[in-house]
Amino acid sequence: MSWLPAIALAGALFLIAAFALRLPRAAWAAFGAALLFGLAGYALQANPDMPAAPKAAVPEASEASAAMIEARRAMFDSTMQASDFVLVSDGFARRGQYADAAQMLRGVVRENPGHAEAWVALGNALVEHADGNLTPAALYAYARAEQAAPGHPAAPYFHGLALLRAGRAYDTRDLWAQTIADAPEGAEWVPSMRERLERLDALIAAVEAQ
């Protein structure tokens, strides 16, 4: 019955995303489907003698992508329009064309290495293009975003979401805690990030108690 903890963790991750992290309701179905695919992969890995199965179809990406884009825009100045090339890349991402979005964003950061939002968007596009996997290229993009805008929460926030999606809730917890500890004095985003961290801690404790 070794799959029971995995199911419990998947359920906890969904609750974290839906309520603690305030994932928009429109993205619940896509996120839940991603967790189910993860459980399916776990089941296959736990039975090495089982014949390989064809990959399931990926759910419609537009709603989840739109939610991620809106969250990113809100963390930067949502009252100011993003650069034209970032907007074009967002259009690709909304249609699930993450490779095209990443290609567009590579051009943006090549011309302007200090464009923090473009680096964050690139990290998100690379994660989605890799089916939710946090690749070295995505890690590099998030690191460059932090370098371009020290003390800004967007890069560690989305990096943490990618870790959470991969089932690495404890790594998300460590990253967000360190981000809060390193925050500039009086940063307006600290209370909301601390609230998310507290809810994440509570849910991790609930899983451990099972």
Side-chain angles (χ1 to χ4, degrees), residues 117-136:
E117 184 174 4
W119 280 114
V120 172
L122 177 57
N124 292 347
L126 290 170
V127 168
E128 296 304 324
H129 180 58
D131 295 327
N133 292 306
L134 189 57
T135 63

PDB file of all heavy atoms in Angstrom, residues 117-136:
ATOM      1  N   GLU A 117      11.016  40.579 -15.430  1.00  0.00           N
ATOM      2  CA  GLU A 117       9.756  39.903 -15.737  1.00  0.00           C
ATOM      3  C   GLU A 117       9.927  38.926 -16.897  1.00  0.00           C
ATOM      4  O   GLU A 117       9.347  37.832 -16.897  1.00  0.00           O
ATOM      5  CB  GLU A 117       8.653  40.903 -16.068  1.00  0.00           C
ATOM      6  CG  GLU A 117       7.310  40.219 -16.302  1.00  0.00           C
ATOM      7  CD  GLU A 117       6.149  41.172 -16.494  1.00  0.00           C
ATOM      8  OE1 GLU A 117       6.379  42.404 -16.524  1.00  0.00           O
ATOM      9  OE2 GLU A 117       5.007  40.694 -16.617  1.00  0.00           O
ATOM     10  N   ALA A 118      10.729  39.298 -17.893  1.00  0.00           N
ATOM     11  CA  ALA A 118      10.960  38.401 -19.019  1.00  0.00           C
ATOM     12  C   ALA A 118      11.687  37.138 -18.569  1.00  0.00           C
ATOM     13  O   ALA A 118      11.387  36.038 -19.040  1.00  0.00           O
ATOM     14  CB  ALA A 118      11.761  39.112 -20.109  1.00  0.00           C
ATOM     15  N   TRP A 119      12.629  37.280 -17.640  1.00  0.00           N
ATOM     16  CA  TRP A 119      13.329  36.097 -17.117  1.00  0.00           C
ATOM     17  C   TRP A 119      12.355  35.178 -16.379  1.00  0.00           C
ATOM     18  O   TRP A 119      12.415  33.948 -16.525  1.00  0.00           O
ATOM     19  CB  TRP A 119      14.457  36.507 -16.190  1.00  0.00           C
ATOM     20  CG  TRP A 119      15.724  36.944 -16.865  1.00  0.00           C
ATOM     21  CD1 TRP A 119      16.276  38.198 -16.853  1.00  0.00           C
ATOM     22  CD2 TRP A 119      16.617  36.136 -17.646  1.00  0.00           C
ATOM     23  NE1 TRP A 119      17.442  38.217 -17.567  1.00  0.00           N
ATOM     24  CE2 TRP A 119      17.684  36.963 -18.062  1.00  0.00           C
ATOM     25  CE3 TRP A 119      16.620  34.793 -18.027  1.00  0.00           C
ATOM     26  CZ2 TRP A 119      18.740  36.486 -18.846  1.00  0.00           C
ATOM     27  CZ3 TRP A 119      17.662  34.314 -18.800  1.00  0.00           C
ATOM     28  CH2 TRP A 119      18.707  35.154 -19.207  1.00  0.00           C
ATOM     29  N   VAL A 120      11.470  35.760 -15.559  1.00  0.00           N
ATOM     30  CA  VAL A 120      10.478  34.944 -14.843  1.00  0.00           C
ATOM     31  C   VAL A 120       9.551  34.249 -15.838  1.00  0.00           C
ATOM     32  O   VAL A 120       9.270  33.045 -15.722  1.00  0.00           O
ATOM     33  CB  VAL A 120       9.656  35.801 -13.865  1.00  0.00           C
ATOM     34  CG1 VAL A 120       8.502  34.995 -13.269  1.00  0.00           C
ATOM     35  CG2 VAL A 120      10.542  36.326 -12.738  1.00  0.00           C
ATOM     36  N   ALA A 121       9.066  34.999 -16.831  1.00  0.00           N
ATOM     37  CA  ALA A 121       8.193  34.409 -17.846  1.00  0.00           C
ATOM     38  C   ALA A 121       8.918  33.296 -18.596  1.00  0.00           C
ATOM     39  O   ALA A 121       8.311  32.262 -18.926  1.00  0.00           O
ATOM     40  CB  ALA A 121       7.726  35.492 -18.817  1.00  0.00           C
ATOM     41  N   LEU A 122      10.218  33.482 -18.858  1.00  0.00           N
ATOM     42  CA  LEU A 122      10.998  32.445 -19.536  1.00  0.00           C
ATOM     43  C   LEU A 122      11.084  31.194 -18.668  1.00  0.00           C
ATOM     44  O   LEU A 122      10.909  30.070 -19.157  1.00  0.00           O
ATOM     45  CB  LEU A 122      12.394  32.970 -19.861  1.00  0.00           C
ATOM     46  CG  LEU A 122      13.364  31.975 -20.513  1.00  0.00           C
ATOM     47  CD1 LEU A 122      12.789  31.414 -21.805  1.00  0.00           C
ATOM     48  CD2 LEU A 122      14.724  32.631 -20.760  1.00  0.00           C
ATOM     49  N   GLY A 123      11.348  31.374 -17.372  1.00  0.00           N
ATOM     50  CA  GLY A 123      11.388  30.220 -16.470  1.00  0.00           C
ATOM     51  C   GLY A 123      10.076  29.471 -16.474  1.00  0.00           C
ATOM     52  O   GLY A 123      10.045  28.231 -16.558  1.00  0.00           O
ATOM     53  N   ASN A 124       8.960  30.201 -16.414  1.00  0.00           N
ATOM     54  CA  ASN A 124       7.642  29.559 -16.417  1.00  0.00           C
ATOM     55  C   ASN A 124       7.393  28.814 -17.728  1.00  0.00           C
ATOM     56  O   ASN A 124       6.866  27.690 -17.725  1.00  0.00           O
ATOM     57  CB  ASN A 124       6.554  30.610 -16.206  1.00  0.00           C
ATOM     58  CG  ASN A 124       6.587  31.217 -14.814  1.00  0.00           C
ATOM     59  OD1 ASN A 124       7.256  30.712 -13.917  1.00  0.00           O
ATOM     60  ND2 ASN A 124       5.867  32.307 -14.629  1.00  0.00           N
ATOM     61  N   ALA A 125       7.753  29.431 -18.855  1.00  0.00           N
ATOM     62  CA  ALA A 125       7.538  28.794 -20.149  1.00  0.00           C
ATOM     63  C   ALA A 125       8.372  27.526 -20.281  1.00  0.00           C
ATOM     64  O   ALA A 125       7.904  26.511 -20.815  1.00  0.00           O
ATOM     65  CB  ALA A 125       7.879  29.776 -21.279  1.00  0.00           C
ATOM     66  N   LEU A 126       9.606  27.564 -19.772  1.00  0.00           N
ATOM     67  CA  LEU A 126      10.472  26.394 -19.858  1.00  0.00           C
ATOM     68  C   LEU A 126       9.955  25.254 -18.984  1.00  0.00           C
ATOM     69  O   LEU A 126      10.027  24.084 -19.374  1.00  0.00           O
ATOM     70  CB  LEU A 126      11.897  26.777 -19.453  1.00  0.00           C
ATOM     71  CG  LEU A 126      12.630  27.685 -20.447  1.00  0.00           C
ATOM     72  CD1 LEU A 126      13.922  28.203 -19.825  1.00  0.00           C
ATOM     73  CD2 LEU A 126      12.908  26.956 -21.751  1.00  0.00           C
ATOM     74  N   VAL A 127       9.423  25.582 -17.815  1.00  0.00           N
ATOM     75  CA  VAL A 127       8.833  24.549 -16.951  1.00  0.00           C
ATOM     76  C   VAL A 127       7.646  23.892 -17.652  1.00  0.00           C
ATOM     77  O   VAL A 127       7.516  22.661 -17.672  1.00  0.00           O
ATOM     78  CB  VAL A 127       8.404  25.151 -15.604  1.00  0.00           C
ATOM     79  CG1 VAL A 127       7.535  24.168 -14.812  1.00  0.00           C
ATOM     80  CG2 VAL A 127       9.622  25.529 -14.766  1.00  0.00           C
ATOM     81  N   GLU A 128       6.781  24.708 -18.232  1.00  0.00           N
ATOM     82  CA  GLU A 128       5.602  24.156 -18.903  1.00  0.00           C
ATOM     83  C   GLU A 128       5.999  23.352 -20.135  1.00  0.00           C
ATOM     84  O   GLU A 128       5.417  22.298 -20.405  1.00  0.00           O
ATOM     85  CB  GLU A 128       4.642  25.280 -19.292  1.00  0.00           C
ATOM     86  CG  GLU A 128       4.049  26.035 -18.117  1.00  0.00           C
ATOM     87  CD  GLU A 128       3.325  25.122 -17.146  1.00  0.00           C
ATOM     88  OE1 GLU A 128       2.690  24.134 -17.595  1.00  0.00           O
ATOM     89  OE2 GLU A 128       3.394  25.372 -15.947  1.00  0.00           O
ATOM     90  N   HIS A 129       6.986  23.832 -20.881  1.00  0.00           N
ATOM     91  CA  HIS A 129       7.432  23.109 -22.074  1.00  0.00           C
ATOM     92  C   HIS A 129       7.996  21.738 -21.709  1.00  0.00           C
ATOM     93  O   HIS A 129       7.897  20.786 -22.491  1.00  0.00           O
ATOM     94  CB  HIS A 129       8.486  23.929 -22.815  1.00  0.00           C
ATOM     95  CG  HIS A 129       9.000  23.281 -24.062  1.00  0.00           C
ATOM     96  ND1 HIS A 129       8.168  22.924 -25.107  1.00  0.00           N
ATOM     97  CD2 HIS A 129      10.257  22.907 -24.439  1.00  0.00           C
ATOM     98  CE1 HIS A 129       8.884  22.377 -26.070  1.00  0.00           C
ATOM     99  NE2 HIS A 129      10.152  22.348 -25.688  1.00  0.00           N
ATOM    100  N   ALA A 130       8.562  21.641 -20.496  1.00  0.00           N
ATOM    101  CA  ALA A 130       9.125  20.372 -20.021  1.00  0.00           C
ATOM    102  C   ALA A 130       8.096  19.558 -19.239  1.00  0.00           C
ATOM    103  O   ALA A 130       8.463  18.722 -18.414  1.00  0.00           O
ATOM    104  CB  ALA A 130      10.360  20.642 -19.153  1.00  0.00           C
ATOM    105  N   ASP A 131       6.813  19.810 -19.470  1.00  0.00           N
ATOM    106  CA  ASP A 131       5.736  19.060 -18.808  1.00  0.00           C
ATOM    107  C   ASP A 131       5.801  19.173 -17.290  1.00  0.00           C
ATOM    108  O   ASP A 131       5.571  18.197 -16.575  1.00  0.00           O
ATOM    109  CB  ASP A 131       5.757  17.592 -19.230  1.00  0.00           C
ATOM    110  CG  ASP A 131       5.460  17.397 -20.704  1.00  0.00           C
ATOM    111  OD1 ASP A 131       4.674  18.193 -21.258  1.00  0.00           O
ATOM    112  OD2 ASP A 131       6.015  16.456 -21.307  1.00  0.00           O
ATOM    113  N   GLY A 132       6.129  20.365 -16.794  1.00  0.00           N
ATOM    114  CA  GLY A 132       6.143  20.604 -15.362  1.00  0.00           C
ATOM    115  C   GLY A 132       7.456  20.319 -14.674  1.00  0.00           C
ATOM    116  O   GLY A 132       7.555  20.502 -13.460  1.00  0.00           O
ATOM    117  N   ASN A 133       8.463  19.892 -15.413  1.00  0.00           N
ATOM    118  CA  ASN A 133       9.759  19.588 -14.817  1.00  0.00           C
ATOM    119  C   ASN A 133      10.602  20.854 -14.694  1.00  0.00           C
ATOM    120  O   ASN A 133      10.649  21.671 -15.623  1.00  0.00           O
ATOM    121  CB  ASN A 133      10.508  18.552 -15.659  1.00  0.00           C
ATOM    122  CG  ASN A 133       9.827  17.200 -15.614  1.00  0.00           C
ATOM    123  OD1 ASN A 133       9.584  16.655 -14.547  1.00  0.00           O
ATOM    124  ND2 ASN A 133       9.489  16.666 -16.783  1.00  0.00           N
ATOM    125  N   LEU A 134      11.270  20.984 -13.558  1.00  0.00           N
ATOM    126  CA  LEU A 134      12.120  22.141 -13.308  1.00  0.00           C
ATOM    127  C   LEU A 134      13.504  21.860 -13.889  1.00  0.00           C
ATOM    128  O   LEU A 134      14.368  21.280 -13.237  1.00  0.00           O
ATOM    129  CB  LEU A 134      12.193  22.409 -11.802  1.00  0.00           C
ATOM    130  CG  LEU A 134      12.856  23.703 -11.335  1.00  0.00           C
ATOM    131  CD1 LEU A 134      12.176  24.918 -11.960  1.00  0.00           C
ATOM    132  CD2 LEU A 134      12.801  23.802  -9.823  1.00  0.00           C
ATOM    133  N   THR A 135      13.716  22.256 -15.125  1.00  0.00           N
ATOM    134  CA  THR A 135      14.944  21.958 -15.847  1.00  0.00           C
ATOM    135  C   THR A 135      16.062  22.921 -15.441  1.00  0.00           C
ATOM    136  O   THR A 135      15.801  23.989 -14.877  1.00  0.00           O
ATOM    137  CB  THR A 135      14.709  22.085 -17.363  1.00  0.00           C
ATOM    138  OG1 THR A 135      14.358  23.448 -17.659  1.00  0.00           O
ATOM    139  CG2 THR A 135      13.588  21.162 -17.818  1.00  0.00           C
ATOM    140  N   PRO A 136      17.324  22.569 -15.742  1.00  0.00           N
ATOM    141  CA  PRO A 136      18.428  23.502 -15.471  1.00  0.00           C
ATOM    142  C   PRO A 136      18.236  24.852 -16.166  1.00  0.00           C
ATOM    143  O   PRO A 136      18.587  25.895 -15.600  1.00  0.00           O
ATOM    144  CB  PRO A 136      19.652  22.750 -16.023  1.00  0.00           C
ATOM    145  CG  PRO A 136      19.295  21.310 -15.884  1.00  0.00           C
ATOM    146  CD  PRO A 136      17.819  21.237 -16.177  1.00  0.00           C
TER     147      PRO A 136
END
